[in-house]
Amino acid sequence: MIQKITRKSLLYKSNVEYGNWTINHVSGCMHGCKFPCYAYMLSKRFGRTKDYNDWRKPKLVANALQILEKEIKRYGKELDLVHLCFMTDPFMYDSEKEALVPEVLDMTLKIIKRLNREGIRVTTLTKGVYPDNLLSRQLMPDNEYGITLVSLQEKFRKEFEPFSASYQKRIQYLKNLYDSGAKTWISIEPYPTPNLDPGSVNIVKLLERVSFVDKIIFGKMNYNIDVSKFKSNNNFYKTKAGEVINFCKKNNIQYHIKAGTPYSSKDTESIFQN
Ligand code: SF4
């Protein structure tokens, strides 16, 4: 049974260039990524998480819907697009049970439904999987569902995203959503250098696996000392970002290269503003 906490506020303006508002209705994340995870580092710095094991024991914000109700009234028309989530995973996967964490899933779906009822679009991003019946829940057709995919090598996943869903599963569930008519996207971030994942030299192979998506975000790996040990990392990221752009142009996929990565441009920051 997942632990519960309460909070005083829920919605806040995102500082990520392609998002507007965000909600993190869970503290911590079972996926325990080791890129390292920026959310974990921040939580630890501000004393919200004791250590890695504590981070991997998620705590659900039990009063999330009550706060949301008040904040929808407070922010009104300012609320146009909400991203779930930057500091946790909205479709959290329990790798031991090989299933979504039911309490997190339930709250995520209630939040999306409530926002959609107000005409507010939602984008989601996960390293878990999407539930089978997501589109039968009367959600807005303009929501956009994404997965993070930075490699196709399970060896890399086991080292850096040890408790997430397998790449194969993530892709399959996203493809199911696409086949049902949903809008889909991929976050290829943080992309590893070849000393961390030899397979990263062939980004086209990864892109071809997900060529059905509407949008792609690409970004380099930050906060990892091994990236700077890879001597020509700037050239590497230049080449890979160029390949992403070419692939997207050829396949009519919208893209954004994140700030700080070669070929990043402000012109594509509004990728999620329909
Ligand atoms: S899925 Fe996201 S929030 Fe969760 S541990 Fe991994 S990087 Fe951190």
Side-chain angles (χ1 to χ4, degrees):
M1 182 87 152
I2 188 169
Q3 291 178 52
K4 309 253 166 69
I5 52 170
T6 55
R7 286 232 180 105
K8 292 203 171 93
S9 59
L10 193 69
L11 273 158
Y12 65 90
K13 287 221 166 163
S14 145
N15 54 5
V16 172
E17 70 263 26
Y18 55 83
N20 295 0
W21 294 83
T22 185
I23 285 179
N24 300 301
H25 50 292
V26 182
S27 174
C29 180
M30 280 180 104
H31 297 163
C33 300
K34 297 179 172 177
F35 297 117
C37 166
Y38 177 71
Y40 166 58
M41 290 195 302
L42 216 60
S43 285
K44 204 159 167 240
R45 193 187 315 157
F46 289 106
R48 292 189 210 120
T49 298
K50 277 187 271 168
D51 53 26
Y52 181 75
N53 288 338
D54 186 39
W55 173 253
R56 283 210 56 235
K57 288 182 196 134
K59 297 163 194 73
L60 186 76
V61 178
N63 62 338
L65 292 169
Q66 288 86 331
I67 308 173
L68 187 61
E69 220 44 65
K70 285 186 197 152
E71 293 186 336
I72 284 174
K73 284 197 190 95
R74 185 186 311 156
Y75 297 120
K77 294 225 178 311
E78 267 188 78
L79 288 174
D80 44 2
L81 176 65
V82 176
H83 178 73
L84 304 181
C85 306
F86 285 124
M87 296 286 286
T88 186
D89 196 305
F91 294 94
M92 202 177 288
Y93 187 73
D94 183 331
S95 58
E96 269 177 37
K97 295 184 179 152
E98 298 198 347
L100 288 160
V101 179
E103 295 93 336
V104 175
L105 174 64
D106 182 58
M107 187 64 88
T108 297
L109 293 176
K110 282 178 176 154
I111 288 172
I112 297 177
K113 210 163 180 176
R114 182 64 192 94
L115 289 167
N116 280 182
R117 191 143 59 84
E118 221 55 44
I120 302 163
R121 285 192 300 125
V122 170
T123 60
T124 62
L125 182 63
T126 186
K127 291 190 183 79
V129 296
Y130 284 99
D132 288 329
N133 53 358
L134 187 64
L135 295 191
S136 64
R137 293 167 185 266
Q138 296 163 312
L139 305 176
M140 280 174 81
D142 282 344
N143 291 338
E144 303 191 51
Y145 306 99
I147 58 166
T148 302
L149 189 72
V150 296
S151 172
L152 294 176
Q153 315 300 322
E154 281 299 295
K155 187 173 175 284
F156 176 83
R157 186 187 69 78
K158 284 180 183 150
E159 190 177 342
F160 286 89
E161 310 167 70
F163 305 103
S164 60
S166 71
Y167 296 136
Q168 175 65 30
K169 274 195 177 163
R170 283 185 225 175
I171 296 169
Q172 188 53 56
Y173 278 82
L174 193 72
K175 180 73 167 46
N176 292 348
L177 273 180
Y178 164 78
D179 289 340
S180 318
K183 294 185 174 180
T184 56
W185 64 288
I186 296 281
S187 171
I188 311 177
E189 197 227 351
Y191 197 67
T193 42
N195 53 333
L196 298 174
D197 175 16
S200 69
V201 288
N202 193 352
I203 198 168
V204 174
K205 193 173 170 192
L206 183 153
L207 292 165
E208 278 170 350
R209 285 290 304 278
V210 291
S211 59
F212 58 88
V213 297
D214 301 292
K215 293 172 186 175
I216 290 177
I217 306 276
F218 177 75
K220 62 187 277 219
M221 189 183 277
N222 297 307
Y223 315 113
N224 188 314
I225 189 84
D226 288 327
V227 170
S228 42
K229 281 185 194 157
F230 186 71
K231 275 194 195 133
S232 43
N233 69 73
N234 202 47
N235 275 345
F236 173 76
Y237 282 123
K238 216 169 179 178
T239 310
K240 295 307 130 190
E243 286 172 10
V244 171
I245 292 170
N246 287 341
F247 185 90
C248 288
K249 283 184 176 165
K250 202 169 120 201
N251 291 281
N252 210 15
I253 296 171
Q254 278 180 269
Y255 64 87
H256 174 60
I257 309 296
K258 283 201 70 178
T261 301
Y263 299 127
S264 173
S265 162
K266 284 198 167 293
D267 295 349
T268 52
E269 271 182 16
S270 54
I271 184 164
F272 287 110
Q273 321 289 333
N274 282 350

Coordinates of all heavy atoms in Angstrom, one line a residue, residues 41-89:
M41 N 17.6 14.5 -7.2 CA 18.6 15.4 -6.7 C 18.0 16.6 -6.0 O 18.4 17.0 -4.9 CB 19.5 15.8 -7.8 CG 20.4 14.7 -8.4 SD 21.8 15.3 -9.4 CE 21.0 16.2 -10.7
L42 N 17.0 17.1 -6.7 CA 16.3 18.3 -6.1 C 15.6 18.0 -4.8 O 15.7 18.8 -3.8 CB 15.3 18.8 -7.2 CG 15.2 20.3 -7.3 CD1 16.5 21.0 -7.7 CD2 14.1 20.6 -8.4
S43 N 14.9 16.9 -4.8 CA 14.2 16.5 -3.6 C 15.1 16.3 -2.4 O 14.8 16.6 -1.3 CB 13.4 15.2 -3.8 OG 12.3 15.5 -4.6
K44 N 16.3 15.7 -2.7 CA 17.2 15.4 -1.7 C 17.8 16.8 -1.1 O 17.9 17.0 0.1 CB 18.3 14.5 -2.2 CG 19.0 13.8 -1.1 CD 19.7 12.6 -1.6 CE 20.6 12.1 -0.5 NZ 22.0 12.0 -0.9
R45 N 18.1 17.7 -2.1 CA 18.7 18.9 -1.7 C 17.7 19.7 -0.8 O 18.1 20.4 0.1 CB 19.0 19.8 -3.0 CG 19.9 21.0 -2.6 CD 20.2 21.9 -3.7 NE 20.5 21.3 -5.0 CZ 20.3 21.9 -6.2 NH1 19.8 23.1 -6.2 NH2 20.6 21.3 -7.3
F46 N 16.4 19.6 -1.1 CA 15.5 20.4 -0.3 C 14.9 19.6 0.9 O 13.9 20.0 1.5 CB 14.3 20.9 -1.2 CG 14.8 22.0 -2.1 CD1 15.0 21.8 -3.4 CD2 15.1 23.3 -1.5 CE1 15.5 22.8 -4.2 CE2 15.6 24.3 -2.3 CZ 15.8 24.1 -3.7
G47 N 15.5 18.4 1.2 CA 15.2 17.7 2.4 C 13.8 16.9 2.3 O 13.3 16.5 3.3
R48 N 13.3 16.8 1.0 CA 12.0 16.1 0.9 C 12.2 14.6 0.8 O 11.2 13.8 1.0 CB 11.2 16.6 -0.4 CG 10.8 18.1 -0.2 CD 9.9 18.4 -1.4 NE 10.0 19.8 -1.7 CZ 10.4 20.3 -2.9 NH1 10.7 19.5 -3.9 NH2 10.5 21.6 -3.1
T49 N 13.4 14.2 0.5 CA 13.7 12.8 0.3 C 15.0 12.5 1.1 O 15.9 13.3 1.0 CB 14.0 12.4 -1.2 OG1 12.8 12.7 -1.9 CG2 14.3 11.0 -1.3
K50 N 15.0 11.4 1.9 CA 16.2 11.1 2.7 C 17.3 10.6 1.8 O 18.4 11.0 1.9 CB 15.8 10.1 3.8 CG 15.2 10.7 5.0 CD 15.0 9.7 6.1 CE 13.7 9.1 5.9 NZ 13.2 7.9 6.5
D51 N 17.0 9.5 1.1 CA 18.0 8.8 0.3 C 17.4 8.1 -0.9 O 16.1 8.2 -1.1 CB 18.8 7.9 1.2 CG 17.9 6.9 1.9 OD1 16.8 6.7 1.4 OD2 18.3 6.4 3.0
Y52 N 18.2 7.4 -1.6 CA 17.7 6.7 -2.8 C 16.5 5.7 -2.5 O 15.5 5.7 -3.2 CB 18.8 5.9 -3.5 CG 18.5 5.2 -4.7 CD1 18.3 5.9 -5.9 CD2 18.4 3.8 -4.7 CE1 18.0 5.2 -7.1 CE2 18.1 3.1 -5.9 CZ 17.9 3.8 -7.1 OH 17.6 3.1 -8.3
N53 N 16.6 5.0 -1.4 CA 15.6 4.0 -1.0 C 14.3 4.7 -0.7 O 13.2 4.2 -1.0 CB 16.0 3.1 0.1 CG 17.1 2.1 -0.3 OD1 17.2 1.8 -1.5 ND2 17.9 1.7 0.6
D54 N 14.4 5.8 0.0 CA 13.3 6.6 0.3 C 12.6 7.2 -0.9 O 11.4 7.1 -1.1 CB 13.7 7.8 1.3 CG 12.5 8.6 1.8 OD1 11.5 7.9 2.1 OD2 12.6 9.8 1.9
W55 N 13.4 7.7 -1.9 CA 12.9 8.2 -3.2 C 12.1 7.1 -3.9 O 11.1 7.4 -4.5 CB 14.1 8.6 -4.0 CG 13.7 9.0 -5.4 CD1 13.9 8.3 -6.6 CD2 13.0 10.2 -5.8 NE1 13.5 9.0 -7.7 CE2 12.9 10.2 -7.2 CE3 12.5 11.3 -5.1 CZ2 12.2 11.2 -7.9 CZ3 11.8 12.3 -5.8 CH2 11.7 12.2 -7.2
R56 N 12.5 5.9 -3.8 CA 11.8 4.8 -4.5 C 10.6 4.3 -3.8 O 9.9 3.4 -4.3 CB 12.8 3.6 -4.6 CG 13.8 3.8 -5.8 CD 14.2 2.5 -6.4 NE 13.1 1.8 -6.9 CZ 12.8 0.5 -6.6 NH1 13.6 -0.2 -5.8 NH2 11.8 -0.1 -7.1
K57 N 10.2 4.9 -2.6 CA 9.0 4.6 -2.0 C 8.0 5.8 -2.2 O 8.0 6.8 -1.4 CB 9.2 4.4 -0.5 CG 9.9 3.1 -0.1 CD 10.0 2.9 1.4 CE 11.1 1.9 1.6 NZ 12.0 2.2 2.7
P58 N 7.2 5.8 -3.3 CA 6.5 7.0 -3.6 C 5.4 7.3 -2.6 O 4.9 6.4 -1.9 CB 5.8 6.6 -5.0 CG 5.8 5.1 -5.0 CD 7.0 4.7 -4.2
K59 N 5.1 8.6 -2.5 CA 4.0 9.0 -1.5 C 3.0 9.8 -2.4 O 3.4 10.8 -3.0 CB 4.6 9.9 -0.4 CG 5.6 9.1 0.4 CD 6.5 10.0 1.3 CE 7.7 9.3 1.9 NZ 8.7 8.9 0.9
L60 N 1.8 9.3 -2.3 CA 0.7 10.0 -3.1 C 0.2 11.2 -2.4 O -0.1 11.2 -1.2 CB -0.4 8.9 -3.3 CG -1.6 9.3 -4.2 CD1 -1.1 9.2 -5.6 CD2 -2.8 8.5 -3.9
V61 N 0.0 12.3 -3.1 CA -0.6 13.5 -2.6 C -2.2 13.2 -2.5 O -2.9 13.3 -3.5 CB -0.3 14.7 -3.4 CG1 -1.0 15.9 -2.8 CG2 1.2 14.9 -3.5
A62 N -2.6 12.8 -1.3 CA -4.0 12.3 -1.1 C -5.0 13.4 -1.4 O -6.1 13.1 -1.8 CB -4.1 11.8 0.3
N63 N -4.7 14.7 -1.1 CA -5.7 15.8 -1.3 C -5.5 16.5 -2.7 O -5.9 17.6 -2.8 CB -5.6 16.8 -0.2 CG -4.2 17.5 -0.1 OD1 -3.2 16.9 -0.6 ND2 -4.1 18.6 0.5
A64 N -4.9 15.8 -3.6 CA -4.6 16.4 -4.9 C -5.9 16.9 -5.6 O -5.9 18.1 -6.1 CB -3.9 15.4 -5.8
L65 N -6.9 16.2 -5.6 CA -8.1 16.6 -6.3 C -8.8 17.8 -5.7 O -9.3 18.7 -6.3 CB -9.1 15.4 -6.4 CG -8.6 14.3 -7.3 CD1 -9.5 13.1 -7.2 CD2 -8.6 14.7 -8.8
Q66 N -8.7 17.8 -4.3 CA -9.3 19.0 -3.6 C -8.6 20.2 -3.9 O -9.1 21.3 -4.2 CB -9.3 18.7 -2.1 CG -10.3 17.7 -1.6 CD -9.7 16.3 -1.7 OE1 -8.9 16.0 -2.5 NE2 -10.2 15.4 -0.8
I67 N -7.2 20.2 -4.0 CA -6.4 21.3 -4.3 C -6.7 21.8 -5.7 O -6.8 22.9 -6.0 CB -4.9 21.1 -4.1 CG1 -4.6 20.5 -2.8 CG2 -4.1 22.4 -4.3 CD1 -3.1 20.1 -2.6
L68 N -6.7 20.8 -6.6 CA -6.9 21.0 -8.0 C -8.2 21.9 -8.2 O -8.2 22.8 -9.0 CB -7.0 19.7 -8.8 CG -7.0 19.8 -10.3 CD1 -5.8 20.5 -10.9 CD2 -7.1 18.4 -11.0
E69 N -9.3 21.5 -7.5 CA -10.5 22.1 -7.6 C -10.4 23.6 -7.3 O -10.8 24.5 -8.1 CB -11.5 21.5 -6.6 CG -12.9 21.3 -7.0 CD -13.0 20.7 -8.4 OE1 -12.6 19.6 -8.7 OE2 -13.6 21.5 -9.2
K70 N -9.7 23.9 -6.2 CA -9.5 25.4 -5.8 C -8.6 26.1 -6.9 O -8.8 27.2 -7.2 CB -8.8 25.4 -4.5 CG -9.7 25.1 -3.3 CD -8.9 25.3 -2.0 CE -9.7 24.6 -0.9 NZ -8.8 24.2 0.2
E71 N -7.5 25.4 -7.3 CA -6.6 26.0 -8.2 C -7.2 26.3 -9.6 O -6.8 27.2 -10.3 CB -5.3 25.2 -8.3 CG -4.6 25.3 -6.9 CD -3.2 24.7 -6.9 OE1 -2.9 23.8 -7.7 OE2 -2.4 25.1 -6.0
I72 N -8.1 25.4 -10.0 CA -8.7 25.6 -11.3 C -9.5 26.9 -11.3 O -9.5 27.8 -12.2 CB -9.7 24.4 -11.7 CG1 -8.8 23.2 -12.2 CG2 -10.7 24.8 -12.8 CD1 -9.6 22.0 -12.4
K73 N -10.1 27.2 -10.1 CA -10.9 28.4 -10.0 C -9.9 29.6 -9.9 O -10.1 30.7 -10.5 CB -11.7 28.4 -8.7 CG -13.0 27.5 -8.8 CD -14.0 27.8 -7.7 CE -15.1 26.8 -7.8 NZ -14.9 25.6 -6.9
R74 N -8.8 29.4 -9.1 CA -7.9 30.5 -8.9 C -7.2 31.0 -10.2 O -7.1 32.1 -10.5 CB -6.8 30.1 -7.9 CG -5.9 31.3 -7.6 CD -4.7 30.9 -6.7 NE -5.1 30.1 -5.6 CZ -4.3 29.3 -4.9 NH1 -3.1 29.1 -5.3 NH2 -4.8 28.6 -3.9
Y75 N -6.7 30.0 -11.0 CA -6.0 30.4 -12.2 C -6.8 30.6 -13.5 O -6.4 31.2 -14.4 CB -4.9 29.3 -12.5 CG -3.9 29.2 -11.4 CD1 -3.7 28.0 -10.7 CD2 -3.1 30.3 -11.0 CE1 -2.8 27.9 -9.7 CE2 -2.2 30.2 -10.0 CZ -2.0 29.0 -9.3 OH -1.1 29.0 -8.3
G76 N -8.1 30.0 -13.4 CA -9.0 30.2 -14.5 C -8.4 30.0 -15.9 O -7.8 29.0 -16.2
K77 N -8.6 31.0 -16.8 CA -8.2 30.9 -18.2 C -6.7 30.8 -18.4 O -6.3 30.5 -19.5 CB -8.8 32.1 -19.0 CG -10.3 32.1 -19.0 CD -10.8 32.3 -20.5 CE -12.3 32.3 -20.6 NZ -13.0 31.1 -20.0
E78 N -6.0 31.2 -17.4 CA -4.5 31.0 -17.5 C -4.1 29.6 -17.8 O -3.0 29.3 -18.4 CB -3.8 31.5 -16.2 CG -3.4 32.9 -16.1 CD -2.6 33.1 -14.8 OE1 -1.4 32.7 -14.8 OE2 -3.2 33.5 -13.8
L79 N -4.9 28.7 -17.3 CA -4.6 27.2 -17.4 C -4.9 26.7 -18.8 O -6.0 26.5 -19.2 CB -5.4 26.4 -16.4 CG -5.0 26.6 -14.9 CD1 -6.0 25.8 -14.1 CD2 -3.6 26.0 -14.7
D80 N -3.9 26.6 -19.6 CA -4.1 26.1 -21.0 C -3.6 24.7 -21.3 O -4.3 23.9 -21.9 CB -3.5 27.1 -22.0 CG -2.1 27.5 -21.6 OD1 -1.6 27.0 -20.6 OD2 -1.5 28.3 -22.3
L81 N -2.5 24.4 -20.7 CA -1.8 23.1 -21.0 C -1.1 22.7 -19.8 O -0.3 23.4 -19.3 CB -0.8 23.3 -22.2 CG 0.0 22.2 -22.6 CD1 -0.9 21.0 -23.2 CD2 1.0 22.6 -23.7
V82 N -1.4 21.4 -19.3 CA -0.7 20.9 -18.1 C 0.1 19.7 -18.4 O -0.4 18.8 -19.1 CB -1.8 20.7 -17.0 CG1 -1.1 20.1 -15.8 CG2 -2.5 21.9 -16.6
H83 N 1.3 19.7 -17.9 CA 2.2 18.5 -18.2 C 2.2 17.6 -16.9 O 2.5 18.1 -15.8 CB 3.6 18.9 -18.6 CG 4.5 17.8 -18.8 ND1 4.4 17.0 -19.9 CD2 5.5 17.3 -18.0 CE1 5.3 16.0 -19.8 NE2 6.0 16.2 -18.7
L84 N 2.1 16.3 -17.1 CA 2.2 15.3 -16.0 C 3.4 14.4 -16.4 O 3.2 13.7 -17.4 CB 1.0 14.5 -15.8 CG -0.4 15.2 -15.6 CD1 -1.4 14.1 -15.4 CD2 -0.3 16.0 -14.3
C85 N 4.4 14.4 -15.7 CA 4.9 15.1 -14.6 C 6.4 15.4 -14.8 O 7.0 14.7 -15.5 CB 4.8 14.3 -13.3 SG 3.2 13.6 -12.9
F86 N 6.9 16.5 -14.2 CA 8.4 16.7 -14.3 C 9.1 16.1 -13.1 O 10.3 15.9 -13.3 CB 8.7 18.2 -14.4 CG 8.3 18.8 -15.8 CD1 7.5 19.8 -15.9 CD2 8.9 18.2 -16.9 CE1 7.2 20.4 -17.1 CE2 8.6 18.8 -18.2 CZ 7.7 19.8 -18.3
M87 N 8.4 15.9 -12.0 CA 9.2 15.4 -10.8 C 8.8 14.0 -10.3 O 9.2 13.7 -9.2 CB 8.9 16.5 -9.7 CG 9.4 17.9 -10.0 SD 11.2 18.0 -9.8 CE 11.4 17.9 -8.1
T88 N 8.0 13.3 -11.1 CA 7.7 11.9 -10.7 C 7.2 11.3 -12.0 O 7.3 11.9 -13.1 CB 6.7 11.9 -9.6 OG1 6.5 10.5 -9.2 CG2 5.3 12.5 -10.0
D89 N 6.6 10.1 -11.9 CA 6.1 9.5 -13.1 C 4.6 9.2 -13.0 O 4.2 8.5 -12.1 CB 6.8 8.2 -13.4 CG 6.6 7.7 -14.8 OD1 5.4 7.5 -15.2 OD2 7.6 7.5 -15.6

